[in-house]
């Protein structure tokens, strides 16, 4: 039995198990920490798919950035202590029906399609090729995404400073 | 058991990764539909984006898509970061105005 196989099943079960804990946990802080393990498992799956740069980016951006933002959101929007960390679950039956239907349909479609698989050569690292692509074929989306990030940052800063200005005016 | 695990159906191929991403997607849909905390819904959206990313990178590994799939995955991660920042700023504004982040109680267009 190959090491890759063991690692795949290990990381897939870590990813799916902690995603399940994230969805069904009653405590939103537990959900956020389960999301961290899910994102790390996904990064490990990226490594198994020869995407080392994307795995590093996933760890930096998701675990180091988005998760911290989500935890800040949890802290800043909680009234009182642990009471409001509890979150309400509604529509349990229709939601689970729809998601099970989605899962069954997707898995059926994935397994019944005859994919044309071509084995690419094992990559040692992808950073050089990704950099050449970014400066070549993908130069326009690269610039557009830079402008998008700038707009998003300015928008987020504007919204939150207006918030604190209103708070100061009220008090 | 050893013989069972050595058969080719258990060696991770394209469809194994696709099945993992399909299950992750349905868990994300479950979180978006059933939870009423805005932050939980946001986490469900992150799960959905990650499952799409696994698909893109699995196809870039196993088909002729090559590095283009990884490139699109990179842009998905960047856009997810921008989306999370703006969404949390909106959530803080909503919390400041309505004093709740329950989606069912936020039902006014003009605060």
């Amino acid at each position: 039995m190959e090491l890759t196989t063991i690692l795949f099943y290990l990381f897939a079960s870590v990813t799916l198990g902690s995603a399940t804990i994230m969805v069904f946990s009653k405590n939103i802080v537990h959900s956020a920490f389960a999301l961290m393990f899910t994102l790390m498992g996904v990064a490990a799956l990226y490594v198994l798919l020869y995407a080392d740069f994307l795995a590093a980016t996933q760890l930096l951006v998701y675990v180091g950035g988005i998760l911290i933002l989500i935890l800040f959101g949890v802290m800043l929007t909680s009234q009182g202590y642990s009471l409001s960390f509890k979150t309400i679950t509604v529509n349990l039956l229709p939601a689970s029906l729809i998601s099970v239907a989605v899962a069954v349909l997707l898995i059926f479609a994935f397994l019944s399609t005859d994919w044309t698989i071509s084995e690419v050569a094992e990559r040692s690292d992808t950073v050089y090729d990704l950099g050449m692509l970014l400066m070549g074929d993908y130069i326009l989306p690269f610039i557009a995404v830079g402008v998008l990030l700038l707009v998003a940052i300015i928008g987020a800063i504007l919204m939150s400073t207006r918030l604190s200005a209103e708070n100061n005016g009220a008090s | 058991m050893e013989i069972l695990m050595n058969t080719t159906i258990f060696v991770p191929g394209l469809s194994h990764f696709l099945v993992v991403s399909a299950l992750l997607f349905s868990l994300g849909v479950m979180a978006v539909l059933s939870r009423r905390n805005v932050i939980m819904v946001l986490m469900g959206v992150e799960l959905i984006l990650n499952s799409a990313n696994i698909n893109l990178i699995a196809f870039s590994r196993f088909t002729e898509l090559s590095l283009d799939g990884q490139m699109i995955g990179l842009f998905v991660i960047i856009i997810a970061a921008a989306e999370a920042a703006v969404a949390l700023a909106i959530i803080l504004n909503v919390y400041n105005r309505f004093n709740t982040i329950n989606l069912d109680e936020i039902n006014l267009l003009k605060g």
Side-chain angles (χ1 to χ4, degrees), chain A residues 1 9 23 25 28 39 46 50 54 58 62 79 87-88 90 99 118 120 123 129-130 138 163 167, chain B residues 5-6 10 26 34-37 46 50 53 57 61-62 64 66-68 71 80 95-96 99 102:
Chain A
M1 189 156 146
Y9 286 108
V23 174
S25 168
I28 194 167
L39 297 173
Y46 289 172
Y50 301 157
L54 257 96
Q58 167 96 359
Y62 268 105
Q79 313 118 312
T87 50
I88 312 164
V90 292
S99 51
S118 68
V120 290
R123 293 182 184 281
D129 297 326
L130 279 178
Y138 284 85
L163 177 87
N167 273 349
Chain B
M5 294 304 279
N6 273 330
F10 287 107
S26 66
S34 72
R35 308 308 291 270
R36 274 299 158 264
N37 190 322
E46 302 294 344
N50 265 291
N53 242 356
I57 294 166
R61 158 79 171 78
F62 287 104
E64 309 205 330
S66 189
L67 273 182
D68 287 330
M71 206 48 129
Y95 178 72
N96 190 42
N99 216 16
N102 188 331

Side-chain angles (χ1 to χ4, degrees), chain A residues 74-152:
Chain A
V74 169
M75 283 190 284
L76 290 175
T77 57
S78 61
Q79 313 118 312
Y81 289 100
S82 62
L83 188 71
S84 60
F85 283 156
K86 302 253 188 288
T87 50
I88 312 164
T89 306
V90 292
N91 305 331
L92 202 56
L93 186 67
S96 42
L97 276 181
I98 289 176
S99 51
V100 166
V102 163
V104 168
L105 275 178
L106 277 177
I107 290 174
F108 175 72
F110 286 152
L111 293 184
S112 61
T113 310
D114 198 17
W115 305 107
T116 51
I117 291 175
S118 68
E119 280 294 319
V120 290
E122 240 176 85
R123 293 182 184 281
S124 54
D125 64 302
T126 57
V127 182
Y128 179 80
D129 297 326
L130 279 178
M132 293 311 272
L133 268 179
L134 265 185
M135 284 296 127
D137 288 349
Y138 284 85
I139 185 78
L140 187 62
F142 185 56
I143 295 173
V145 117
V147 174
L148 175 86
L149 276 179
L150 182 70
V151 170

Side-chain angles (χ1 to χ4, degrees), chain B residues 36-108:
Chain B
R36 274 299 158 264
N37 190 322
V38 184
I39 296 176
M40 278 303 298
V41 174
L42 200 65
M43 287 196 236
V45 173
E46 302 294 344
L47 274 194
I48 293 175
L49 286 170
N50 265 291
S51 78
N53 242 356
I54 291 180
N55 262 8
L56 286 169
I57 294 166
F59 279 118
S60 93
R61 158 79 171 78
F62 287 104
T63 67
E64 309 205 330
L65 194 59
S66 189
L67 273 182
D68 287 330
Q70 293 194 20
M71 206 48 129
I72 302 169
L74 196 60
F75 284 116
V76 170
I77 291 180
I78 296 170
I79 289 172
E83 168 254 331
V86 173
L88 279 162
I90 292 174
I91 288 173
L92 290 186
N93 263 316
V94 163
Y95 178 72
N96 190 42
R97 191 155 299 233
F98 294 98
N99 216 16
T100 180
I101 48 168
N102 188 331
L103 270 180
D104 288 335
E105 292 172 23
I106 304 167
N107 49 16
L108 294 174

